[in-house]
Amino acid sequence: MEELNRKKEPGINLLKNINLPQPKSISLNNGIPVHLIDTGTQELIKIECLFKAGKWYEDKPLLARFTNKMLKRGSMNYDAKQIAEKMDFYGAHLESSPEMDIASVSVYSLNKHLPNILPVFSDVVLNPVFPDNELITYAQNQKQKFIVNSEKVKYLARIKFTELIFGKSNPYGRSFTNDDFTNINTRDLHQFHEKYYTSENFQIIVAGKLPENIIELLNNHFGNIERTENRIPFENNFAIDNVNGQFRHIKKDKTVQTALRIGKPIISRTHPDFQKLKILNTVLGGYFGSRLMTNIREDKGYTYGIGSAIVPLHHSGYFFIATEVGTNVTEKAIKEIHKEIEIIHNDLIPAKELDLVRNYLMGSFLRNVDGPFAIAESFRNILEYGLTMDYYSDFIETIHQTSAQELRDLAREYLNISSLYELKVGQ
């Protein structure tokens, strides 16, 4: 047996393929699509209801968020206290998530308690009453959080960057003010819910060790909703309206750090270049060993952390670099960011570095499909874009096959410095 040499760095062995469970898709009695991911060893289940009811669809600031978050604050048959007590008694967990395009409502439950949980869950999703007193309390709490967060440069940079790159008239870029928290009433919420939380705008993902009667249970509570085809004008049309120029500085006095956001609108998940662009982004700023982190954190010491990401959206997408640096080194940090982008434009990524990134991406991918709930989340990410699980097989192939030359060409096409928007928040 060969003696282990602990002074020698172990080799990198890339996983070649992975077999993911294929969701089984069926329809309830009224046509609502249900996607079943039957895997796992514990008698635990997650049911997620998805609606095209995110920020893209609101005609008033905060409307999508308030509607989604207020669902569990009172329904036709249960008030907020009863909903909370029911979930607590049966060890279930209810959560809601309003996003840019999708709004979701989920419940986690032991299988044996589903008959007791589903009546509450379906009532929350389908029959909210949006009590005035609950709305007032929620609005006050959210307004106070907003006021506190607005003093933080990192928070301001996050919400103002999408406004810079998409424009104030585009839902992806629309921000909000203190007054918006009190301009929403229960009538607004009822109208938004009635328009978008409907059977024809509804999909369900179920994951876990599924009980044999899961379809019967779902039909009992969701399969009898009236379905009226073509009732909703789903797709609003908005142009990108970034009329304020590419550079913006929001001045915040008495701050020791400047929050930086540099990026641009970019392709979305369905574009053929998207997967390769994810690899390029990982090299630049997508993991702890990235070039931006190595230079600006480890070498220069300008920040505790810096990273970049690509965010896919249904009607667009955007790339961004984010960090907080000392106010006295803001311009130096921007210069170094530009330097790293120029290098990735001009020089091929060395084979050793690219192999490391490939290995990281494969490890990250495996973590993202570890367990039924993680698989469900991965499936949801592609379901929204009309894709199948083959998308991930293709991604593994892309990780293995994409060359340094292709990545350099992508950098030149998508990450031209003159096309990037820049936001600074601080002194």
Side-chain angles (χ1 to χ4, degrees):
M1 182 176 179
E2 185 180 352
E3 184 178 352
L4 180 65
N5 184 354
R6 299 188 182 277
K7 295 181 180 180
K8 184 179 179 181
E9 180 180 318
I12 295 175
N13 297 306
L14 289 176
L15 186 68
K16 295 297 182 184
N17 54 59
I18 185 171
N19 294 319
L20 292 175
Q22 295 292 322
K24 178 183 178 182
S25 297
I26 60 100
S27 295
L28 297 183
N29 292 341
N30 58 358
I32 292 176
V34 177
H35 310 281
L36 305 168
I37 300 172
D38 191 2
T39 184
T41 57
Q42 297 179 324
E43 298 289 333
L44 186 64
I45 194 171
K46 176 187 178 183
I47 301 174
E48 183 173 25
C49 300
L50 303 174
F51 302 88
K52 288 184 178 180
K55 187 178 180 182
W56 179 263
Y57 299 94
E58 66 184 16
D59 54 11
K60 198 173 187 179
L62 298 171
L63 184 53
R65 183 205 291 189
F66 271 48
T67 301
N68 185 261
K69 289 298 185 181
M70 283 289 297
L71 291 175
K72 59 185 178 182
R73 292 180 175 250
S75 65
M76 187 180 296
N77 297 299
Y78 306 92
D79 62 26
K81 182 180 179 182
Q82 290 171 324
I83 293 168
E85 287 177 345
K86 282 277 188 180
M87 293 295 158
D88 186 57
F89 181 79
Y90 290 107
H93 174 65
L94 181 65
E95 63 182 29
S96 57
S97 178
E99 300 170 9
M100 286 288 202
D101 297 292
I102 295 291
S104 70
V105 194
S106 305
V107 68
Y108 299 80
S109 173
L110 292 172
N111 288 355
K112 64 181 180 181
H113 294 319
L114 277 179
N116 302 106
I117 289 297
L118 277 176
V120 185
F121 180 57
S122 62
D123 207 46
V124 165
V125 174
L126 303 174
N127 304 308
V129 294
F130 305 117
D132 283 321
N133 61 321
E134 292 286 348
L135 176 58
I136 292 170
T137 300
Y138 179 73
Q140 288 174 341
N141 290 340
Q142 292 302 303
K143 181 178 179 179
Q144 187 59 39
K145 287 181 181 179
F146 174 69
I147 292 171
V148 172
N149 285 332
S150 294
E151 296 303 312
K152 303 173 182 177
V153 294
K154 181 178 181 179
Y155 176 82
L156 278 179
R158 179 170 60 83
I159 65 172
K160 293 298 183 180
F161 182 68
T162 51
E163 178 184 293
L164 176 65
I165 64 174
F166 290 116
K168 293 182 179 180
S169 63
N170 187 294
Y172 292 151
R174 185 189 298 134
S175 58
F176 42 86
T177 67
N178 289 350
D179 292 338
D180 292 323
F181 288 90
T182 52
N183 284 341
I184 291 181
N185 55 53
T186 55
R187 184 170 177 268
D188 295 326
L189 303 186
H190 278 291
Q191 288 179 341
F192 191 83
H193 183 272
E194 183 180 349
K195 186 175 182 181
Y196 292 111
Y197 286 72
T198 60
S199 60
E200 57 269 26
N201 190 29
F202 191 176
Q203 296 199 69
I204 301 175
I205 300 176
V206 187
K209 189 175 180 181
L210 306 187
E212 292 182 0
N213 65 338
I214 184 62
I215 301 303
E216 178 186 353
L217 288 170
L218 292 174
N219 263 320
N220 289 341
H221 297 286
F222 294 105
N224 54 2
I225 312 167
E226 179 185 355
R227 188 176 180 88
T228 306
E229 295 295 343
N230 302 320
R231 188 173 67 179
I232 301 175
F234 289 137
E235 302 303 338
N236 297 324
N237 293 308
F238 296 92
I240 293 177
D241 181 29
N242 36 21
V243 296
N244 295 321
Q246 288 182 241
F247 304 94
R248 187 178 179 190
H249 179 197
I250 299 175
K251 190 170 177 59
K252 292 290 291 182
D253 292 329
K254 300 179 182 178
T255 56
V256 296
Q257 285 189 314
T258 298
L260 289 178
R261 294 294 184 276
I262 298 173
K264 61 182 287 189
I266 210 164
I267 58 177
S268 192
R269 196 183 296 277
T270 54
H271 193 284
D273 288 340
F274 183 80
Q275 293 182 341
K276 293 178 183 179
L277 206 55
K278 283 194 68 174
I279 301 172
L280 179 67
N281 174 73
T282 305
V283 174
L284 179 63
Y287 75 121
F288 192 79
S290 70
R291 293 184 174 191
L292 289 175
M293 186 71 84
T294 301
N295 179 346
I296 296 169
R297 180 186 190 273
E298 300 298 328
D299 184 30
K300 302 298 187 301
Y302 292 161
T303 181
Y304 288 111
I306 184 171
S308 64
I310 302 170
V311 180
L313 301 167
H314 288 192
H315 304 277
S316 185
Y318 63 98
F319 161 79
F320 72 95
I321 297 168
T323 188
E324 293 78 47
V325 300
T327 55
N328 60 322
V329 294
T330 299
E331 298 306 322
K332 292 180 180 178
I334 293 172
K335 183 179 179 180
E336 291 300 321
I337 290 171
H338 289 174
K339 173 185 170 183
E340 292 300 333
I341 294 174
E342 287 173 353
I343 291 172
I344 217 166
H345 279 185
N346 298 325
D347 301 335
L348 294 177
I349 301 166
K352 185 176 181 180
E353 181 184 6
L354 191 51
D355 283 343
L356 179 63
V357 167
R358 288 189 176 111
N359 195 48
Y360 168 81
L361 285 169
M362 286 303 304
S364 178
F365 173 74
L366 290 174
R367 287 193 299 273
N368 290 337
V369 293
D370 183 16
F373 301 158
I375 293 171
E377 183 65 25
S378 296
F379 174 66
R380 180 198 149 169
N381 288 340
I382 58 174
L383 177 68
E384 292 182 33
Y385 296 87
L387 303 169
T388 68
M389 292 299 271
D390 290 340
Y391 175 87
Y392 291 114
S393 301
D394 294 341
F395 184 46
I396 293 172
E397 182 71 14
T398 301
I399 291 172
H400 285 282
Q401 298 299 328
T402 302
S403 68
Q405 179 70 54
E406 288 177 286
L407 294 175
R408 184 174 67 178
D409 291 344
L410 284 173
R412 291 173 175 176
E413 181 176 357
Y414 291 105
L415 300 185
N416 192 303
I417 291 176
S418 64
S419 70
L420 298 179
Y421 290 76
E422 180 185 297
L423 173 66
K424 295 183 285 189
V425 183
Q427 285 196 63

